[in-house]
Amino acid sequence: MSKWRQPWFPWVSLAARLVLGVVMLVAGALKVTDPETAAQAVRAYEILPSGLVSPVGWGLPFLEIAIGLLLIVGFGVRAAAVAAGVFMIVFIVAVSSAWVRGLAIDCGCFGGGGQIAPSQTKYLQEILRDVGLLLLAAWLWLNPVSKYALETDPSTESSARTGATAS
């Protein structure tokens, strides 16, 4: 074990995996049943060309579900954490862009989306939530080995050297 690795790191990584995984899974599951509304939420940001709105709106929930499941079961944790982190950065940029441009939209993060009254926007809370999730993704990228994971990360020094499992 590296002198910088603590014995409680795998437990923190387990918590990070489960929180980030459940959030991604729930966000995707709430959108996958209504792909037209998901596309409407993407359209409301007024960022993508109209030809990309539907494919992104329809595909995004499936990617969120896949990333969430990978994190929850602990398979490909580092790659799933990177993917989740990229999603969080994109979401932070998109919400910030809507806020700066004065759009009044629901983020559509957990279903719904589209135009709302300006007094109903929650941009700061959404950005802070996504920054917190981005920090969890960063933790998992740095510390992918966790308790009760289906797979260990072979590039991690201690598991590669000893062949130890994560649980």
Side-chain angles (χ1 to χ4, degrees), residues 50-142:
S50 60
L52 290 178
V53 168
S54 287
V56 169
W58 286 62
L60 186 67
F62 291 102
L63 291 172
E64 288 173 321
I65 290 169
I67 293 167
L69 288 173
L70 287 171
L71 288 168
I72 290 168
V73 301
F75 187 80
V77 172
R78 183 169 272 152
V82 168
V86 168
F87 269 60
M88 292 308 128
I89 291 168
V90 168
F91 296 156
I92 291 165
V93 169
V95 170
S96 299
S97 170
W99 192 7
V100 167
R101 292 180 293 136
L103 299 179
I105 61 172
D106 175 9
C107 75
C109 302
F110 296 95
Q115 302 297 321
I116 58 173
S119 62
Q120 293 179 315
T121 60
K122 297 178 181 169
Y123 295 133
L124 181 59
Q125 296 94 317
E126 292 161 355
I127 292 168
L128 291 175
R129 176 199 60 221
D130 290 347
V131 166
L133 294 170
L134 177 61
L135 292 173
L136 292 179
W139 172 272
L140 288 170
W141 179 73
L142 293 169

Side-chain angles (χ1 to χ4, degrees), residues 6 12 23 25 34 47 55 57 67 73 75-76 83 92 96 107-108 111 113 115 130 146-148:
Q6 299 295 320
V12 173
V23 168
L25 180 64
D34 190 2
I47 295 174
I67 293 167
V73 301
F75 187 80
I92 291 165
S96 299
C107 75
Q115 302 297 321
D130 290 347
S146 61
K147 295 290 184 180
Y148 309 112

